[in-house]
């Protein structure tokens, strides 16, 4: 065993890569063939493709918006903030209560735009408060603990927040009265294709947010400090950076984005319950990983990719749409086989992951 | 929360029986009040009842006494006054304790104790809003029928989740508690079915307000009952309505991948195709997702006249709103009783107008019953949130009534409930006028036999077609 | 003394927040239905929190005087915070949003006096805080005796486990007025399984013949330990007697705990030994369960015997473990986590939609019970099927635990540990990483498949809803809470995580809130888990990574 070990190890590594490549190529070939078949047989009219492309972009923008917050926190702490979706939910709840109050008091009719702005501010500030408390109570004491420990703490926090919201605000569905709000209701029609106004808003918001984040991370002093903390905490500390403060601010920023996404989703989907953050949170996490977790443009890309895979996948491969998550996760596996650190994963994230 | 343990299978209150029975003798002895030692005293005849003082009757009783006076035994007849609680009828009957036979055994409720009825819904997770709503419906019945023959009815409220594991955990808990007489629930078929096997062994009758899967009652179990329709009744009627009344010849099927939704849609599809209709698509949506535009887009490609949706209000409202964005404006949206709620209309805002659902067919007077129920519900819990709360009310009311007819007061004042008789009394309901419609049990426990009616959303409210 | 003022406001704010939380969540309202010594329990709990706040703040202060002041400040802060919030809930429109909170309780907390009551509440809080400060100033209790009595490390461990479970049980019974028996019995269950874990960790060497069959084990040199033998004996007696003594609910819960122990042991191999973070472990549980269901239910027309279906289900599950392991060979860390999570979801989606095979959402019914559990036997041997399943699962757990413990000390286990510590180095020293990774996935899957198969049989019918992501999360949590890499940790973790929600069932709708909070609390207080892998299990740098104490922030 000992004499042949090195060669065996190397050949194993070689065959693994070769095997995986062959596997990936095979799966890819099957999918490509199926796609070709769908197009050749003209199973769908062109409007189905276009509509689902738009649907996919809109859905992807939702994922991207949430994934940006996810990836920001991950990028600095290398921890999966499982409770991110719950921060989003609480933001959406807060937004709802303010909106409700403004409807009851007639303020919405008095000044619609201002109301919407206030609702967003309310949602975002509650999210920030929750996020900061989360960091202080559930995560900060665990800094330096093994990687899985903060993960469990995050899961606990997620379960707690979800059920606390259920207890405090009840199980009934909170309904954002979007159709009553001029500007948010309805949508634009491009020929045969209808796009809801809220969808457009989400896409615009996601892109603006991403650009702003990229600028913040790469150009600002705060961004520089963030990158330093992400790279090496002790050294950053030695360089005079208040590591705890930077992490707290990053959390606040990520939660701010979650709160914004929550209110936006409230307007978009109208229904808010205590479970509203769970699935999107999970999907956004997937999107962030897909793009290369910790990478801001990667989260965006991953979000759009996931959204498109979910909405175009069943169309392209002629599969019942109940399998859309199978397609999404299948493509995720396929991509990670070839790029184990995601679409835009860096050397850094591989090292840390 | 009370005594909800269930670990000790042997805890019995029968021991208490004996205590009550000796009351009369004790009173007689005390009435003597002489220093002579009474050896034996046998009551012979009640001469007259003298006085009713509050809850007791003072009776004059002739007794034969053997008294030892100065070493001699004297036998004499004497008339004494005895105070007897009203409930105890004739002291002589004491020895022949009510003999109750029941193949499933009995539950004895001691005086002052409560009759325990389980209530299993979903209190956490995705379906919590429906579950809590159903719980509230049943709770209203428990409030309005608080006792059986003077014994308070206690509701044991449990979270059975929508999973088999949650269901069996609760079922075993109840089965281990010999005081649990019957169960309202469970809510989901996926929780009811595994639980029913355990209830069957423990002889605990269950009445589900909302488990609609055909197989729930079709497995030959004795304890499975429900007051809602099964999927077959509703799905078949809905297919007929879609084709013959709404005039839809093509339909797309959408379900929420739940046992309820998928089962219903399966039945609808079969019936619809049999009647000559064409099914253009069969798709499942994921509960928890909010964006169904993609699946609706592919459905729109088949240009169906009608969308049939098996599932609940949350997804229903999203679907009916989003279908208009992808070229399905003209398709009729048709759901089952899972979307028949105000929450559906409010969530979908204006988009719900013109959508249909199946619902119990009420005559004039019966509709008043439901309206009265909803009014009382709103007064206690606020706005109703879902579709099956009225069924839960009926299920609880039927169980309480069944216990009433299957129980006897024992001489010691405890209540004896016969388990099998409860189940039979439940199934003996024919033409029961519930708030959810007419309930008519068949031999396998399907109570929701009533005619299927249909409603349409008009002016932000459900109204009969 | 002034230095004590500012830091003391922090625990005050935290405590005030906690008090507000239990008011908002409706716990005060629910608990006020009970009385303890004439006082409503809910309000008592609020008072207790403020008291604790005072104690906590005072403990950090130095000197008797500043202790009292710190307690005062903390109590005042908490009281004032709570009072302010209570006033806020009296704003029209706010209280309706908080569905669980009755206005009467708000009034009661403010002593029914509105704004004046708020001031009184703050003063009251200050008083309680001072009391907490006094408590903190009392001399510390001598705890050395416990250590002295406990003697050897393992015995102490068991004693501590015993004691903590007992305290938790008693505290619950006291607080919530439960029938003490319920808690007592579940505590017993905990003990029983904790004993099992303790004993397993110190198993006597296997018989020589068995040792030849099993992978060569390093544990063989260990001497027979009288303590271990004693615990083993007690455990065996307890295991046999307990299911007879208690009803079917107890047996059911214990069986559920057992099933999760099986899964936990499996995941422990994957995550704890080999360091592969798997968030979709439920996939193998589901595959095992569905294999059992499809093979043995008359609905699918195969209808084989339970005892035949069991090994097949394990094999199917194991093979799927290998297959699912192949694509993720190159992935690490969180990438691996999300892909495995995806696998879990994929399997569930398939079970939900492959209607012909799995029955779709309608599930599979009439899954076979082993002949032993059939009616005619149950009257003789077992009072109910639940009792039979308890024995079945207990046997399974013991076997799997032995295998799992011996795997770790074998060559395979050392290869896994090396791989977990540094994959590249492991490869460089000649460990065939591919083979060992796949082996970990396969063995983990086999264990989960066993659990799934027994689960399916016990449930009699299974549905896709039984196999959600929550199961994966639960299993991962119990492995980590128990102490990663340790067999007895898994056992204790399962008791804590699976039995606890059942105990908390008495809290009805509050059980998940409490559970979530306890999870966070647990991680902060004891991040290495309840019973982390000791030196005897994982040696050298391995324990550094797994059980490193948290660095001070």
């Amino acid at each position: 065993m000992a004499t042949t070990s090195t060669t065996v190890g190397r050949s194993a590594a070689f065959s693994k890569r070769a095997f995986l490549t062959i596997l990936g190529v095979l799966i890819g070939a099957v999918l490509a063939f199926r796609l070709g078949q769908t197009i050749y047989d003209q199973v769908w009219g062109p409007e189905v493709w276009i509509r689902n492309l738009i649907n996919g972009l809109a859905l992807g923008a939702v994922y991207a918006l949430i994934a940006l917050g996810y990836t920001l926190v991950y990028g600095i702490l290398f921890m999966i903030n499982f409770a991110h979706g719950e921060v989003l939910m609480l933001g959406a709840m807060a937004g709802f209560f303010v909106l409700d109050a403004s409807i009851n008091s007639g303020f919405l009719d008095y000044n619609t735009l201002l109301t919407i702005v206030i609702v967003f501010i309310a949602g975002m500030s509650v999210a920030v408060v929750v996020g900061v408390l989360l960091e202080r109570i559930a995560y900060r004491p665990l800094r330096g603990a093994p990687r899985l420990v903060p993960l469990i703490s995050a899961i606990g926090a997620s379960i707690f927040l979800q059920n606390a919201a259920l207890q405090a605000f009840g199980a009934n569905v909170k309904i954002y009265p979007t159709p009553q709000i001029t500007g948010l209701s309805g949508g634009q029609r491009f020929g045969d294709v209808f796009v809801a106004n809220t969808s457009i808003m989400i896409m615009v918001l996601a892109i603006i947010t991403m650009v702003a984040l990229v600028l913040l991370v790469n150009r600002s002093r705060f961004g520089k400090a963030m990158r330093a903390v992400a790279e090496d905490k002790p050294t950053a500390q030695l360089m005079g950076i208040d590591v705890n403060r930077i992490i707290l601010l990053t959390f606040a920023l990520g939660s701010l984005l979650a709160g914004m996404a929550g209110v936006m989703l409230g307007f978009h989907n109208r229904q808010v319950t205590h479970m509203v953050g769970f699935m999107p949170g999970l999907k956004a996490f997937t999107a962030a990983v897909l793009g290369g977790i910790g990478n801001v443009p990667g989260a965006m890309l991953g979000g759009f990719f996931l959204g498109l895979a979910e909405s175009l996948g069943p169309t392209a491969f002629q599969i019942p749409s109940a399998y859309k998550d199978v397609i999404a996760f299948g493509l995720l596996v396929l991509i990670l086989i070839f790029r184990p650190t995601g679409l835009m994963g860096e050397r850094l994230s591989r090292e840390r992951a | 929360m009370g005594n909800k343990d269930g670990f000790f299978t042997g805890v019995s209150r029968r021991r208490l029986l004996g205590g009550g029975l000796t009351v009369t003798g004790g009173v007689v002895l005390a009435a003597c009040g002489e220093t002579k030692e009474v050896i034996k005293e046998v009551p012979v005849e009640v001469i007259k009842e003298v006085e009713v003082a509050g809850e007791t009757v003072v009776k004059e009783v002739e007794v034969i006494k053997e008294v030892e006076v100065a070493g001699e035994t004297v036998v004499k007849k004497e008339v004494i006054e005895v105070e007897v609680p009203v409930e105890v009828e004739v002291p002589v009957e004491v020895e022949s304790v009510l003999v109750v036979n029941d193949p499933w055994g009995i539950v004895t409720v001691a005086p002052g104790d409560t009759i325990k009825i389980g209530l299993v819904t979903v209190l956490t997770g995705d379906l919590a809003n429906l579950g809590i709503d159903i719980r509230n419906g049943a709770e209203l019945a428990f409030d309005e029928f608080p006792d059986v023959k003077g014994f308070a009815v206690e509701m044991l409220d449990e979270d059975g989740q929508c999973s088999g594991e949650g269901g069996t955990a609760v079922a075993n808990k109840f089965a281990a508690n010999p005081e649990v007489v019957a169960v309202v629930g469970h809510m989901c078929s996926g929780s009811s079915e595994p639980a029913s096997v355990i209830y069957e062994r423990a002889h605990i009758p269950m009445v589900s307000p909302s488990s609609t899967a055909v197989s729930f009652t079709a497995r030959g179990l004795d304890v499975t009952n429900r007051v809602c329709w099964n999927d077959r009744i509703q799905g078949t009627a809905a297919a007929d309505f879609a084709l013959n009344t709404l005039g839809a010849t093509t339909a797309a099927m959408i379900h929420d991948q739940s046992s309820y939704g998928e089962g219903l849609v399966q039945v609808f599809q079969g019936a619809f195709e049999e009647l000559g209709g064409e099914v253009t698509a069969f798709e499942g949506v994921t509960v928890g997702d909010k964006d169904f535009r993609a699946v609706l887009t592919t459905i729109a490609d088949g240009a169906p006249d009608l969308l049939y949706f098996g599932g609940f209000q949350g997804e229903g409202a999203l679907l009916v709103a989003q279908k208009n964005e992808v070229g399905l404006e003209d398709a009729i949206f048709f759901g089952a009783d899972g979307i028949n709620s105000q929450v559906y209309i409010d969530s979908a805002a204006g988009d719900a107008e013109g959508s249909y659902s199946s619902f119990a067919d009420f005559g004039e007077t019966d509709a008043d019953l439901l309206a009265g129920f909803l009014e009382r519900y709103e007064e206690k819990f606020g706005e109703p949130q879902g579709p099956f709360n009225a069924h839960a009310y009926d299920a609880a009311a039927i169980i309480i009534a069944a216990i009433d007819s299957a129980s006897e007061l024992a001489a010691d004042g405890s209540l004896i409930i016969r388990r099998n008789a409860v189940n039979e009394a439940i199934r003996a309901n024919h033409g029961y006028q519930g708030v959810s419609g007419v309930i008519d049990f068949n031999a396998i426990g399907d109570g929701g036999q009533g005619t299927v009616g249909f409603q349409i959303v008009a002016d932000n409210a459900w109204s009969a077609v | 003394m002034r230095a004590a003022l500012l830091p003391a406001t922090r625990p005050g704010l935290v405590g005030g927040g906690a008090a507000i939380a239990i008011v908002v969540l409706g716990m005060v309202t629910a608990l006020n239905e009970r009385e303890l010594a004439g006082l409503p329990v809910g309000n008592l709990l609020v008072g207790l929190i403020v008291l604790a706040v005072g104690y906590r703040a005072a403990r950090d202060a130095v000197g008797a005087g500043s202790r009292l002041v710190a307690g005062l400040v903390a109590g005042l802060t908490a009281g004032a915070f709570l009072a302010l919030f209570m006033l806020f809930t009296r704003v029209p429109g706010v209280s309706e949003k908080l569905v669980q909170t009755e206005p009467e309780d708000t009034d009661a907390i403010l002593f029914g006096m509105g704004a004046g009551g708020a001031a009184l509440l703050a003063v009251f809080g200050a008083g309680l805080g001072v009391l907490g400060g006094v408590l903190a100033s009392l001399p510390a209790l001598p705890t050395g005796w416990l250590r002295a009595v406990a003697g050897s490390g393992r015995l102490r461990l068991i004693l501590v486990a015993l004691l903590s479970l007992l305290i938790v049980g008693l505290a619950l019974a006291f607080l919530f007025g439960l029938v003490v028996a319920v808690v007592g019995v579940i505590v017993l269950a905990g003990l029983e399984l904790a004993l099992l874990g303790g004993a397993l960790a110190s198993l006597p060497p296997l018989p020589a013949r068995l040792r030849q069959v099993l992978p060569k084990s390093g544990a063989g040199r260990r001497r027979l330990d009288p303590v271990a033998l004693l615990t083993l004996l007690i455990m065996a007696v307890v295991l046999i007697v307990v299911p007879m003594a208690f009803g079917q609910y107890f047996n059911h819960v214990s069986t559920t705990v057992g099933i999760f122990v099986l899964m936990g042991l499996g995941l422990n191999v994957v995550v704890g030994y080999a360091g592969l973070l798997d968030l979709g472990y439920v996939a193998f549980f589901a595959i095992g369960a569905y294999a059992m269901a499809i093979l043995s239910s008359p609905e699918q027309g195969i209808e084989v015997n339970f005892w035949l279906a069991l090994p097949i289900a394990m094999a199917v599950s194991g093979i799927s473990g290998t297959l699912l392991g192949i694509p993720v060979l190159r992935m690490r860390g969180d990438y691996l986590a999300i892909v495995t999570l995806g696998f879990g979801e994929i399997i569930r989606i398939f079970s939900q939609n492959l209607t012909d095979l799995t029955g779709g959402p309608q599930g599979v019914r009439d899954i076979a019970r082993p002949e032993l559990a059939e009616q005619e036997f149950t009257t003789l041997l077992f009072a109910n099927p639940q009792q039979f399943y308890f024995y079945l699962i207990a046997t399974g757990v013991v076997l799997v635990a032995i295998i799992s413990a011996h795997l770790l000390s074998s060559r395979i286990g050392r290869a896994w540990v090396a791989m977990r510590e540094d994959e590249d180095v492991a490869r460089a020293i000649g460990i065939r990483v591919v083979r060992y990774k796949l082996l970990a996935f396969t063995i983990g899957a086999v264990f989960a498949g066993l659990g799934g198969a027994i689960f399916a049989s016990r449930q009699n019918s299974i549905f896709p809803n039984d196999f959600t992501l929550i199961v994966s999360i639960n299993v991962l949590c119990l492995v980590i809470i128990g102490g990663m890499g340790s067999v007895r940790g898994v056992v204790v973790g399962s008791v804590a995580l699976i039995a606890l929600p059942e105990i908390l069932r008495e809290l009805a709708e509050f059980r998940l809130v409490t559970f979530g909070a306890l999870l966070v609390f647990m991680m902060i207080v004891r991040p290495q888990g309840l019973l982390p892998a000791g030196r005897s299990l994982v040696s050298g740098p391995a324990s550094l990574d797994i059980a490193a104490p948290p660095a001070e922030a």
Side-chain angles (χ1 to χ4, degrees), chain B residues 225-243:
Chain B
N225 307 289
R226 64 173 146 219
V227 292
C228 51
W229 295 309
N230 69 28
D231 293 337
R232 190 176 293 139
I233 295 172
Q234 188 175 199
T236 314
D240 182 68
F241 178 77
L243 203 82

Side-chain angles (χ1 to χ4, degrees), chain B residues 266-301:
Chain B
Q266 289 273 9
V267 174
F268 184 96
Q269 183 185 23
F272 193 71
E273 283 174 342
E274 206 167 281
L275 290 167
E278 189 201 336
V279 171
T280 61
F282 190 98
E283 297 279 9
V285 296
T286 309
V287 176
D289 277 359
K290 302 287 175 200
D291 193 333
F292 303 127
R293 293 175 182 88
V295 56
L296 286 166
T297 300
T298 44
I299 287 172
D301 195 56

Side-chain angles (χ1 to χ4, degrees), chain C residues 323-366:
Chain C
L323 291 180
L324 291 185
I326 291 171
V328 299
L329 282 172
R330 272 180 75 196
M331 294 166 204
R332 293 181 189 191
D334 300 308
Y335 294 92
L336 181 63
I338 195 67
V339 168
T340 47
L341 186 146
F343 281 148
E345 285 295 284
I346 286 174
I347 295 295
R348 189 181 57 79
I349 293 168
F350 274 127
S351 75
Q352 217 155 28
N353 290 287
L354 290 177
T355 314
D356 292 334
L357 189 65
T358 65
Q362 310 303 325
V364 186
R365 271 155 298 273
D366 296 325

Side-chain angles (χ1 to χ4, degrees), chain A residues 33-110:
Chain A
F33 175 73
R34 187 73 175 159
L35 176 64
Q37 210 179 18
T38 311
I39 295 169
Y40 184 77
D41 291 348
Q42 295 189 339
V43 178
W44 311 109
E47 78 280 358
V48 171
W49 290 99
I50 297 168
R51 272 185 190 144
N52 266 348
L53 187 73
I54 303 285
N55 292 334
L57 287 176
L59 186 62
V62 172
Y63 293 153
L65 197 55
I66 309 168
L68 287 173
Y70 236 117
T71 216
L72 209 55
V73 169
Y74 187 93
I76 197 160
L77 272 182
F78 306 104
M79 73 160 277
I80 303 169
N81 182 11
F82 232 83
H84 193 73
E86 273 55 53
V87 174
L88 177 147
M89 177 266 296
L90 288 170
M93 288 263 179
F96 166 78
F97 289 129
V98 171
L99 187 61
D100 198 44
S102 66
I103 289 171
N104 291 338
S105 62
F107 191 77
L108 179 71
D109 298 327
Y110 172 70

Side-chain angles (χ1 to χ4, degrees), chain B residues 173-242:
Chain B
K173 186 171 186 186
F174 285 159
N177 182 351
E179 294 181 28
V180 173
V181 183
V183 172
V184 181
H186 300 189
M187 176 174 143
C188 298
S189 301
S191 175
S192 293
E193 285 186 10
S196 62
V197 180
I198 294 155
Y199 291 134
E200 180 83 3
R201 278 187 63 90
H203 301 307
I204 298 175
M206 59 195 293
V207 182
S208 171
S210 53
S211 297
T212 59
V214 176
S215 53
F216 171 54
T217 55
R219 291 166 303 150
L221 297 182
D222 291 321
V223 295
T224 50
N225 307 289
R226 64 173 146 219
V227 292
C228 51
W229 295 309
N230 69 28
D231 293 337
R232 190 176 293 139
I233 295 172
Q234 188 175 199
T236 314
D240 182 68
F241 178 77

Side-chain angles (χ1 to χ4, degrees), chain C residues 64-256:
Chain C
S66 51
R67 278 215 174 107
L68 292 188
V69 172
L72 178 96
V73 171
L76 188 71
T77 320
F81 192 18
L82 180 63
L84 275 178
F85 182 79
M86 284 299 135
L87 286 179
F88 171 66
T89 60
R90 295 163 74 87
V91 174
V94 171
S95 67
E96 294 117 65
K97 299 288 185 288
L98 303 170
V99 290
Q100 297 283 345
T101 316
E102 302 285 340
E104 298 91 70
D105 292 303
T106 322
D107 277 349
I109 290 171
L110 293 179
F111 305 101
M113 296 193 300
L120 190 61
L121 180 63
V123 174
F124 198 63
L128 276 174
V130 171
L131 196 62
V134 171
L135 281 179
S137 312
L138 294 175
L141 286 169
T143 45
W145 63 272
L146 187 72
R147 225 162 287 155
V149 170
S152 89
R154 188 174 310 111
L155 198 62
R156 197 182 81 208
L157 191 98
I158 293 166
L159 268 179
V160 168
L162 255 158
L163 212 68
S164 58
L165 279 165
L166 204 71
I167 289 168
V168 167
L170 285 178
L172 275 172
F174 175 73
L175 253 182
F176 303 107
L178 312 183
V179 182
V180 181
V182 179
V183 178
V185 163
I186 294 191
V187 167
L188 241 173
L191 296 182
E192 175 195 332
L193 289 162
L195 280 175
L196 168 82
L200 284 175
S202 50
L203 275 176
L206 290 175
R209 183 168 301 171
L210 242 174
R211 234 184 306 163
Q212 287 166 359
V213 182
L214 282 174
K216 201 167 174 348
S217 160
R221 266 167 294 149
R222 213 180 289 157
R223 272 192 307 116
L224 194 71
D225 185 340
V227 177
L229 202 64
L230 191 70
T231 19
L232 210 62
L233 255 170
I234 296 173
M235 181 197 84
V237 173
V238 167
L239 270 181
I240 291 169
V241 171
V242 157
M244 295 178 181
F246 300 105
Q248 66 187 86
Y249 179 46
F250 169 83
N251 285 335
H252 179 86
V253 174
S254 309
T255 313
T256 310

Side-chain angles (χ1 to χ4, degrees), chain B residues 124-417:
Chain B
T124 50
D126 266 323
L127 292 171
N129 61 334
L130 295 172
I132 289 170
D133 190 51
I134 291 175
R135 198 249 332 246
N136 291 347
E139 199 178 327
L140 199 62
F142 282 103
D143 279 359
E144 292 177 9
F145 308 105
D147 57 280
V148 172
K149 297 184 174 139
F151 288 80
V153 175
E154 189 185 343
M155 166 181 117
L156 305 182
D157 187 12
E158 288 284 355
D159 180 8
Q161 292 150 339
C162 217
S163 67
E165 169 45 33
T168 47
V170 175
N172 275 301
K173 186 171 186 186
F174 285 159
N177 182 351
E179 294 181 28
V180 173
V181 183
V183 172
V184 181
H186 300 189
M187 176 174 143
C188 298
S189 301
S191 175
S192 293
E193 285 186 10
S196 62
V197 180
I198 294 155
Y199 291 134
E200 180 83 3
R201 278 187 63 90
H203 301 307
I204 298 175
M206 59 195 293
V207 182
S208 171
S210 53
S211 297
T212 59
V214 176
S215 53
F216 171 54
T217 55
R219 291 166 303 150
L221 297 182
D222 291 321
V223 295
T224 50
N225 307 289
R226 64 173 146 219
V227 292
C228 51
W229 295 309
N230 69 28
D231 293 337
R232 190 176 293 139
I233 295 172
Q234 188 175 199
T236 314
D240 182 68
F241 178 77
L243 203 82
N244 294 328
T245 311
L246 298 178
T249 52
T250 55
M253 310 284 112
I254 309 174
H255 62 86
D256 65 351
Q257 300 191 45
S258 71
S259 170
Y260 165 73
E262 202 255 4
L264 197 57
V265 164
Q266 289 273 9
V267 174
F268 184 96
Q269 183 185 23
F272 193 71
E273 283 174 342
E274 206 167 281
L275 290 167
E278 189 201 336
V279 171
T280 61
F282 190 98
E283 297 279 9
V285 296
T286 309
V287 176
D289 277 359
K290 302 287 175 200
D291 193 333
F292 303 127
R293 293 175 182 88
V295 56
L296 286 166
T297 300
T298 44
I299 287 172
D301 195 56
D305 297 336
L306 178 138
L307 299 180
Y308 187 70
F309 172 60
F312 293 108
Q313 55 205 16
E315 287 69 37
L318 292 166
L319 283 166
V320 78
Q322 292 170 9
K323 82 178 173 66
N324 296 337
E325 296 178 15
V326 297
L328 281 167
E329 296 90 340
D330 301 329
I332 302 165
F333 191 78
F334 184 23
D337 42 7
I339 67 163
N340 193 296
S341 71
Q342 193 61 37
V343 171
Y344 165 75
I345 297 172
D346 293 345
S347 309
D351 294 323
E353 287 293 303
S355 51
Y356 290 87
S357 86
S358 36
F359 197 59
D361 188 10
F362 284 110
E364 280 295 308
T365 48
D366 313 349
D368 290 344
L369 265 180
L370 179 66
F373 163 75
L374 290 176
E375 205 170 283
R376 299 196 301 276
Y377 184 107
E378 268 198 64
E379 198 177 299
K380 188 165 162 71
F381 304 107
E383 289 267 296
Q385 292 295 321
F388 285 109
N389 46 32
H391 295 85
Y393 177 90
D394 285 342
I398 283 174
I399 285 180
I400 294 170
I403 291 174
D404 191 41
S405 72
S407 60
E408 287 91 12
L409 278 172
D412 64 335
S414 60
L415 187 73
I416 294 178
I417 304 167

